Amino acid sequence: MLKGKRFYLHTFGCQMNVNDSEHVASLLLKEGAVPAVSPDKSDLIIINTCAVREKSVKKLFSYLGRLKQQKERQGTLIVCLGCVAQLYREKLLKKFPYLDLVVGPPQYQSLPAALKALELEQQKKILTGWERRWVELPIKDEARESQVSAYVTIMEGCNNFCSYCVVPFTRGRERYRPMSSILTEVKDLATAGYLEIQLLGQNVNSYQDPETGHRLPELLKRISEVEGLEWIRFLTSHPKDFTLELAEAMATYPKICHQLHLPLQSGSNRILKKMNRGYTREEYLDKINLLKSRLPDISLSTDLIVGFPTETEDDFQQTLELVEKIQFTNIFSFRYSPRPLTAAAKMKDDVPEEVKIDRLIRLQSRQKEIQTALHRKLVGKTVRVLCLGRSKRGNLFCGRNEGYQVVNFSSNTDVAGKMIQVKITGSGPYSLQGEAVI
Ligand code: SF4
């Protein structure tokens, strides 16, 4: 019944959501549905949502509000997936009664059946039950965003309960994908010509093969042995679970990129404790120093929250101090906003909004200077770049270097999808410019 139906998938949020959307698209393609070029030319609109920050939920609600007219005009089916679906369930249907289905992350495999049942008007509108085991979903190459760099999910859920984070309530407890299945997918991707693999999970450092008990370093070793792959990345890592063994694996296997995203969240021990992060600033710094000693060229990025309840100017200065000391190549920084069900939501959100904004601006402007200086140091050097395609401006190509920095460059030949050498000729705070070296 889905055969020939045109579907449009709109994805909010992180790489995990992008990869989930690729899985969902694969399920629909398998049933004979076809991708639509735009929402107004579709029979089915699927929105994959993110609940991590209040801002992304507001953006989603405004998008859903705009779909009402289309529903009335064209009778398009509208399905809400993801963390917001899992979190708000009935509330979502009450606020947007024209939604046809609300499906949480643990229930994606039921989506085609639910859509068929919907046509027969026998379908419940909410699917948000929990899964305790790993559910294997197929993925088709044509559903992937890129034909050169692929996301591969290795675990899902989180047991950490950081006090500000809603993820354990939307994704549930940790479930690990069997290593045998990960390796099969990776080998298939390498055979199909993919050059880069990004292993995904909310907390990849806690990965444990349910069949053998092997941990992330062993998985990385096995993936490194797959012929044809050039680069392997993994995210997100939790600092408390980042081990010496993992640092050794990064230093030993040449395909593992010398790049790591390690969320710090705050530089103040008092705030880290209130966040229930399970490490101190000293322990975080020790791990960074270990990494820098084993991999002197490592490129580090992080997440930071400003304005967490009770955060003082002194706490914030301690965050700035670590940013200065570590010299991240990129940061993702946010103003704190309370999320439903979390421990922090019970704390008084007592840092005034204007103070949060001021701290965020100061943090981001210092980071901009750091990035500008780090990028400038690369000018004149020749670096390997995985070309992901044409840049938005069209006349240049765009890719990323091993440090995951954006490189826009010129080339006389079509190098899309290739690993090439690029001479860096210019830089700005957010990207590098260069010329392909033939
Ligand atoms: S580690 Fe903390 S921040 Fe990350 S997903 Fe788990 S609870 Fe959320």
Side-chain angles (χ1 to χ4, degrees):
M1 268 183 266
L2 286 169
K3 199 164 177 22
K5 288 262 188 305
R6 298 163 305 166
F7 69 91
Y8 185 82
L9 243 162
H10 188 109
T11 306
F12 288 84
C14 63
Q15 293 96 329
M16 282 286 285
N17 263 17
V18 173
N19 192 224
D20 282 349
S21 289
E22 292 172 340
H23 283 287
V24 167
S26 301
L27 288 169
L28 299 175
L29 290 168
K30 197 165 162 243
E31 298 288 329
V34 289
V37 285
S38 63
D40 58 334
K41 295 209 169 37
S42 66
D43 307 303
L44 167 64
I45 297 177
I46 300 176
I47 308 115
N48 192 1
T49 63
C50 171
V52 169
R53 284 170 229 296
E54 196 182 13
K55 203 170 157 192
S56 54
V57 176
K58 281 190 180 154
K59 243 164 94 181
L60 165 75
F61 284 0
S62 129
Y63 181 75
L64 287 177
R66 294 198 300 275
L67 290 179
K68 186 168 183 242
Q69 275 193 337
Q70 171 155 357
K71 179 75 183 176
E72 288 168 353
R73 213 175 41 235
Q74 293 171 228
T76 315
L77 289 180
I78 303 179
V79 177
C80 188
L81 302 182
C83 291
V84 175
Q86 187 76 18
L87 193 63
Y88 292 101
R89 308 173 207 205
E90 294 81 6
K91 273 195 211 156
L92 206 53
L93 279 182
K94 210 164 159 202
K95 194 169 169 64
F96 304 101
Y98 45 91
L99 281 177
D100 293 286
L101 271 177
V102 171
V103 186
Q107 296 297 320
Y108 292 157
Q109 82 276 14
S110 312
L111 182 65
L115 285 166
K116 286 179 205 166
L118 192 63
E119 278 202 334
L120 301 170
E121 292 185 293
Q122 298 167 353
Q123 176 57 43
K124 284 194 295 177
K125 286 193 152 195
I126 301 174
L127 291 171
T128 52
W130 293 110
E131 276 293 343
R132 286 184 183 277
R133 58 193 176 94
W134 179 262
V135 177
E136 193 68 34
L137 288 180
I139 189 153
K140 285 174 168 277
D141 281 348
E142 61 264 43
R144 290 196 186 267
E145 272 214 338
S146 163
Q147 303 303 308
V148 61
S149 172
Y151 295 131
V152 175
T153 297
I154 63 166
M155 59 85 65
E156 177 154 23
C158 186
N159 299 343
N160 284 318
F161 290 91
C162 300
S163 66
Y164 54 85
C165 181
V166 77
V167 166
F169 305 99
T170 60
R171 295 272 177 175
R173 300 300 88 76
E174 292 179 3
R175 303 173 296 286
Y176 310 116
R177 184 176 179 190
M179 193 181 282
S180 52
S181 146
I182 299 169
L183 287 170
T184 303
E185 183 176 352
V186 169
K187 282 175 193 161
D188 287 349
L189 287 163
T191 307
Y194 285 82
L195 297 179
E196 179 180 74
I197 297 292
Q198 302 200 43
L199 304 176
L200 300 181
Q202 270 83 27
N203 185 16
V204 288
N205 305 65
S206 64
Y207 175 77
Q208 194 165 5
D209 180 8
E211 289 161 354
T212 62
H214 286 316
R215 311 297 300 248
L216 185 61
E218 178 66 21
L219 176 64
L220 290 170
K221 173 178 177 279
R222 302 268 182 101
I223 294 179
S224 296
E225 288 159 5
V226 175
E227 271 183 40
L229 287 184
E230 297 277 351
W231 280 346
I232 303 161
R233 304 181 194 272
F234 56 94
L235 80 157
T236 296
S237 295
H238 194 301
K240 80 174 165 50
D241 299 324
F242 194 90
T243 58
L244 175 62
E245 203 190 350
L246 193 47
E248 288 302 329
M250 290 180 78
T252 308
Y253 308 115
K255 289 181 186 175
I256 304 175
C257 290
H258 289 187
Q259 174 257 326
L260 186 72
H261 183 71
L262 201 62
L264 168 63
Q265 307 299 6
S266 169
S268 152
N269 283 339
R270 196 180 66 78
I271 296 296
L272 285 172
K273 196 157 181 221
K274 283 179 93 67
M275 288 176 162
N276 192 30
R277 288 292 287 171
Y279 55 85
T280 61
R281 62 181 270 132
E282 291 77 18
E283 285 162 348
Y284 184 92
L285 254 182
D286 281 350
K287 295 197 179 187
I288 295 290
N289 290 337
L290 164 77
L291 275 161
K292 285 187 172 175
S293 67
R294 296 295 286 118
L295 308 142
D297 60 341
I298 192 162
S299 160
L300 295 159
S301 58
T302 200
D303 294 332
L304 292 162
I305 297 172
V306 299
F308 189 81
T310 76
E311 186 191 68
T312 61
E313 177 61 24
D314 180 56
D315 294 315
F316 174 65
Q317 285 300 329
Q318 292 182 49
T319 300
L320 275 183
E321 203 184 284
L322 276 198
V323 166
E324 194 68 52
K325 193 174 264 179
I326 295 168
Q327 300 274 299
F328 295 105
T329 44
N330 200 1
I331 65 165
F332 299 86
S333 50
F334 308 92
R335 275 182 281 156
Y336 169 77
S337 58
R339 308 307 301 126
L341 307 177
T342 60
K346 296 187 189 83
M347 303 174 194
K348 195 167 169 225
D349 183 14
D350 58 355
V351 179
E353 221 40 45
E354 61 274 18
V355 175
K356 289 182 189 171
I357 292 170
D358 174 63
R359 287 180 190 163
L360 191 65
I361 291 172
R362 282 191 280 154
L363 173 62
Q364 290 179 343
S365 42
R366 182 61 197 117
Q367 177 61 25
K368 191 174 169 188
E369 290 165 0
I370 291 172
Q371 274 174 223
T372 306
L374 289 174
H375 284 175
R376 207 174 287 136
K377 283 189 193 162
L378 290 172
V379 175
K381 299 210 162 119
T382 298
V383 297
R384 279 178 98 204
V385 170
L386 178 59
C387 179
L388 299 166
R390 296 250 170 207
S391 74
K392 282 184 194 138
R393 286 189 203 134
N395 55 345
L396 293 176
F397 289 90
C398 180
R400 289 192 185 264
N401 65 1
E402 184 177 343
Y404 214 57
Q405 289 149 312
V406 174
V407 186
N408 294 309
F409 60 96
S410 58
S411 169
N412 294 332
T413 55
D414 186 355
V415 287
K418 297 204 170 98
M419 183 73 81
I420 51 156
Q421 299 283 338
V422 174
K423 177 155 191 213
I424 303 301
T425 54
S427 69
Y430 305 112
S431 64
L432 298 157
Q433 295 90 50
E435 290 160 4
V437 181
I438 308 298

